[in-house]
Amino acid sequence: MATIETQTSTPMSQSGKTQNVVPTTLKTQISSPSFKRWGRRHPFVRYGLPMISLTVFGAIGLGHLLQGSKDIAKVKDDQEWEILETRKALSRTGPVNLYNPKKISLEDELKALQAKVDINDYEYKRIPKPNEGKSG
């Protein structure tokens, strides 16, 4: 790989040396074809390095995401634990289970209903047909 340098002579400076000046546009034009040849000369640079870096950085990123979800689950578990501990403390000091519904059986409900309703004393009521209610 050869680079072309142009040397311009300037009047002697105080140090007595000449300055080498290389135009930047010429330098980029010369180095770009050699950069394009890297893919042909070194296929690892073109294909292998991006694949390996994608795999490594993807694994690291996935690890961070999983750690975040574990942290959130831990916080939720801690909150539930605090709620349980608060409930236990309240049950020791005060009435948490103040409302206790009665245990009701179906047989008891049937006896209560039969006591309210007398099936021997009834009156007939006619149910109107759907067309009778309309006038027209």
Side-chain angles (χ1 to χ4, degrees):
M1 171 169 41
T3 58
I4 299 173
E5 294 183 8
T6 59
Q7 186 176 23
T8 57
S9 299
T10 56
M12 290 281 204
S13 60
Q14 293 173 353
S15 64
K17 296 179 181 176
T18 60
Q19 297 176 350
N20 290 335
V21 178
V22 177
T24 57
T25 58
L26 183 62
K27 195 180 245 187
T28 58
Q29 288 175 356
I30 292 170
S31 65
S32 70
S34 65
F35 182 74
K36 288 181 183 177
R37 275 187 253 138
W38 275 15
R40 282 185 239 144
R41 286 188 181 174
H42 308 287
F44 175 76
V45 173
R46 188 170 183 181
Y47 300 109
L49 196 63
M51 183 59 123
I52 290 173
S53 62
L54 182 69
T55 305
V56 169
F57 290 130
I60 291 170
L62 191 60
H64 281 291
L65 286 174
L66 289 175
Q67 186 61 41
S69 67
K70 286 179 184 178
D71 291 342
I72 290 172
K74 183 180 178 188
V75 168
K76 284 185 180 179
D77 287 344
D78 290 344
Q79 288 175 349
E80 289 176 7
W81 181 256
E82 287 176 12
I83 290 170
L84 286 174
E85 288 297 316
T86 306
R87 186 174 174 94
K88 285 179 184 177
L90 281 175
S91 66
R92 280 185 236 122
T93 59
V96 169
N97 297 327
L98 185 61
Y99 174 71
N100 288 328
K102 298 176 186 175
K103 303 288 184 189
I104 301 173
S105 67
L106 288 177
E107 290 83 15
D108 294 339
E109 284 295 314
L110 179 62
K111 287 177 186 175
L113 188 61
Q114 285 176 348
K116 281 187 199 177
V117 178
D118 186 14
I119 59 170
N120 296 324
D121 183 28
Y122 59 90
E123 79 181 60
Y124 287 107
K125 290 188 180 178
R126 187 171 174 272
I127 299 174
K129 295 180 181 176
N131 294 335
E132 284 182 17
K134 296 181 183 176
S135 61

